[in-house]
Amino acid sequence: MRTTELVSGFRQSAPYVNAHRGKTFVVMLGGEAINQAGFRSIINDIALLNSLGIKIVLVYGARPQINRALENAGLAPSFHQHIRITDDDSFRLIKQVAGELQLDITARLSMSLSNTPMQGAQINVVSGNFVIAQPLGVDEGVDYFHSGRVRRIDTAGIRRQLDTNGIVLMGPIAASVTGESFNLTAEDIATQVAIKLKADKMIGFSEIGGITDEDDRIIAEMMPNYAEQLVQNAQPTLAACPSTLAFLQAAILACRGGVPRCHLVGFADDGSLLQELFSRDGIGTQIVTESAEKLRQATIADIGGILDLIRPLEQQGLLVRRSREQLELEINQFTLIERDGLVIGCAALYTFPEDNVAEFACLAVHPEYRDADRGSLLLNSIIQLARQQRFDKLFALTTRSIHWFLEQGFELLTVDDLPAQKKQMYNYQRRSKILALTL
């Protein structure tokens, strides 16, 4: 049984291995994730991404470690507008903390012990002056001292290292053109690097597994505008997790800056990074510039996907059987929902111009995706197509979904109400119910 699960999982992940190879990911590893027991597994998983040909920029933060060091030294953390004020005494400690973490992370990524996931990895970890900083200066009379922000990114230098399969490691300290050093946030660095590199993904770790809705269910995907509403409305989950809130704000900026997808996963869930990247539904929350699901017209390349979707329903007698040849001839009449290369829903529009009516047919939704009303999405799309072609009525035949059609505004008809061509094809053994919607 274990072998079967391994093979099945490996096969399902293969499309994502191919899709991610050669892509650039900016991974933001907050100090909270570094602190917890599963940090070693996260490093192993990042090393695995590198071995699969994914170009990794790893940006680490150090908030909890810095706060602890300041407390041990008897120095009270000071903030203005939620930004740390980094005076001389604080900065000396912050540089020590950041330096220690850089050495620790480098050492972890350099490990290649036998009987570990990193056996034989031989990863080249590169750190350098890829980020040029500038001071925040004075705001409302408050001097931020050594707190800064990103001024410039050496994208060419980063790409040279990534092209040699190295992992570029960046911490929260960056130098300026005047030879000074400044304390930056990991979110600022990760966001600007992801935008300037035109990264394919930015990934962050959180105390929680993702952003949740009112029923405490993880929201798998959201657009930047919706994410911004959650931030502005101070959602309780976000208010309780400052690092999550900070990453969400960074993800909004990154998406609007051209990064297609930003992922938030939980650092407490073992293997969450791999589950998010190499499974169709993931495990965390994505902030995306466009949905992973696409509603579009079918093409001849979709024949196999549609057949895989409708065959089980044909075998159950829920759909009229269509041959591959018939489907090839009718493919232009199909609309489908695609998710990461998988056809998860389809429907067809058959027209009867002589009677000025059209048929809504072959509605099918993948069993694992029937809880988000995708059937209604397909129906609404077909209705719009029928209206664009100026048909007066849309009818459908069904044996099991009568109430669903009634809920959508359809009304029951008789066989005599069908267009002449369809009436001749009516199967009296199936005794399908006929419903129609006036357009």
Side-chain angles (χ1 to χ4, degrees):
M1 184 64 180
R2 285 185 178 180
T3 302
T4 302
E5 291 175 355
L6 171 63
V7 171
S8 175
F10 200 71
R11 286 172 175 165
Q12 290 177 18
S13 67
Y16 297 95
V17 173
N18 295 328
H20 296 329
R21 186 180 293 112
K23 299 298 175 62
T24 300
F25 295 178
V26 175
V27 180
M28 200 198 79
L29 197 59
E32 294 82 2
I34 296 172
N35 263 349
Q36 53 86 45
F39 173 58
R40 180 174 180 174
S41 294
I42 293 174
I43 290 293
N44 289 341
D45 292 345
I46 291 172
L48 176 58
L49 298 185
N50 175 260
S51 71
L52 292 173
I54 298 170
K55 300 176 181 180
I56 302 291
V57 177
L58 180 57
V59 181
Y60 68 90
R63 282 193 192 92
Q65 291 86 352
I66 289 171
N67 289 338
R68 186 168 59 248
L70 293 176
E71 182 182 350
N72 292 339
L75 299 173
S78 182
F79 295 86
H80 176 66
Q81 301 287 1
H82 307 292
I83 299 172
R84 188 186 299 276
I85 298 171
T86 310
D87 58 22
D88 292 342
D89 292 335
S90 298
F91 198 36
R92 277 192 289 271
L93 283 175
I94 290 171
K95 285 190 286 188
Q96 291 176 17
V97 170
E100 288 177 6
L101 285 179
Q102 178 180 322
L103 292 173
D104 287 346
I105 294 171
T106 301
R108 297 263 184 168
L109 286 169
S110 302
M111 183 177 64
S112 59
L113 293 176
S114 299
N115 300 319
T116 71
M118 294 183 66
Q119 180 179 347
Q122 295 182 335
I123 295 172
N124 185 28
V125 182
V126 182
S127 300
N129 57 339
F130 300 113
V131 177
I132 301 300
Q134 62 182 355
L136 288 177
V138 179
D139 179 41
E140 297 179 343
V142 176
D143 192 340
Y144 284 109
F145 295 103
H146 301 284
S147 292
R149 61 172 173 265
V150 174
R151 178 181 181 181
R152 189 169 65 245
I153 306 290
D154 179 11
T155 54
I158 295 171
R159 288 196 182 100
R160 280 196 297 271
Q161 302 304 324
L162 295 178
D163 288 343
T164 59
N165 203 36
I167 290 180
V168 175
L169 179 62
M170 298 180 177
I173 308 298
S176 72
V177 293
T178 61
E180 301 173 274
S181 296
F182 291 94
N183 178 30
L184 285 65
T185 66
E187 290 82 8
D188 183 27
I189 294 174
T191 302
Q192 294 305 316
V193 168
I195 292 172
K196 300 301 183 186
L197 279 179
K198 295 180 172 56
D200 299 281
K201 294 180 184 292
M202 185 171 80
I203 303 166
F205 291 85
S206 164
E207 299 95 326
I208 56 178
I211 310 301
T212 55
D213 59 17
E214 295 177 353
D215 298 320
D216 203 33
R217 294 176 301 191
I218 289 179
I219 303 171
E221 181 180 288
M222 64 177 71
M223 299 292 188
N225 287 349
Y226 181 74
E228 189 170 44
Q229 290 177 17
L230 294 181
V231 171
Q232 293 174 347
N233 295 336
Q235 189 204 46
T237 303
L238 294 177
C241 301
S243 63
T244 304
L245 179 60
F247 179 80
L248 190 58
Q249 291 171 318
I252 294 168
L253 293 175
C255 282
R256 289 175 175 168
V259 179
R261 298 189 184 187
C262 296
H263 300 254
L264 180 68
V265 296
F267 56 64
D269 300 318
D270 186 31
S272 61
L273 178 62
L274 301 182
Q275 291 184 67
E276 176 69 6
L277 294 176
F278 296 100
S279 64
R280 183 163 284 114
D281 296 321
I283 192 175
T285 295
Q286 289 188 67
I287 300 88
V288 299
T289 52
E290 63 175 332
S291 176
E293 291 187 14
K294 298 178 182 178
L295 180 72
R296 61 174 176 83
Q297 293 300 116
T299 69
I300 198 72
D302 299 311
I303 296 288
I306 294 175
L307 285 173
D308 288 342
L309 187 64
I310 66 177
R311 279 293 183 254
L313 299 178
E314 292 175 348
Q315 292 167 1
Q316 296 172 41
L318 300 179
L319 290 178
V320 176
R321 186 170 183 84
R322 289 169 173 80
S323 67
R324 187 182 187 93
E325 292 74 17
Q326 180 185 355
L327 192 57
E328 288 177 357
L329 292 173
E330 299 175 349
I331 193 63
N332 291 334
Q333 294 163 287
F334 275 78
T335 297
L336 56 81
I337 301 175
E338 177 192 44
R339 182 181 180 88
D340 286 342
L342 174 73
V343 177
I344 64 169
C346 71
L349 175 69
Y350 296 117
T351 61
F352 300 86
E354 63 279 5
D355 296 280
N356 204 32
V357 298
E359 180 185 5
F360 175 68
C362 201
L363 173 64
V365 178
H366 193 287
E368 295 179 9
Y369 296 92
R370 290 176 182 165
D371 58 352
D373 215 12
R374 292 176 176 88
S376 296
L377 178 64
L378 287 163
L379 173 59
N380 289 333
S381 177
I382 295 294
I383 288 173
Q384 291 303 315
L385 289 173
R387 283 175 174 162
Q388 289 170 13
Q389 298 177 46
R390 300 188 181 281
F391 289 107
D392 292 331
K393 190 173 290 186
L394 183 72
F395 71 89
L397 277 65
T398 183
T399 56
R400 300 279 185 91
S401 304
I402 302 167
H403 283 196
W404 183 81
F405 279 102
L406 292 173
E407 290 171 0
Q408 307 301 319
F410 283 68
E411 297 179 350
L412 284 166
L413 299 181
T414 66
V415 176
D416 291 334
D417 296 311
L418 290 172
Q421 182 182 350
K422 188 69 179 181
K423 190 186 303 183
Q424 294 175 0
M425 300 166 58
Y426 183 78
N427 188 334
Y428 284 90
Q429 290 184 326
R430 283 177 58 86
R431 299 179 63 185
S432 300
K433 296 294 181 180
I434 303 159
L435 302 99
L437 177 72
T438 301
L439 301 176

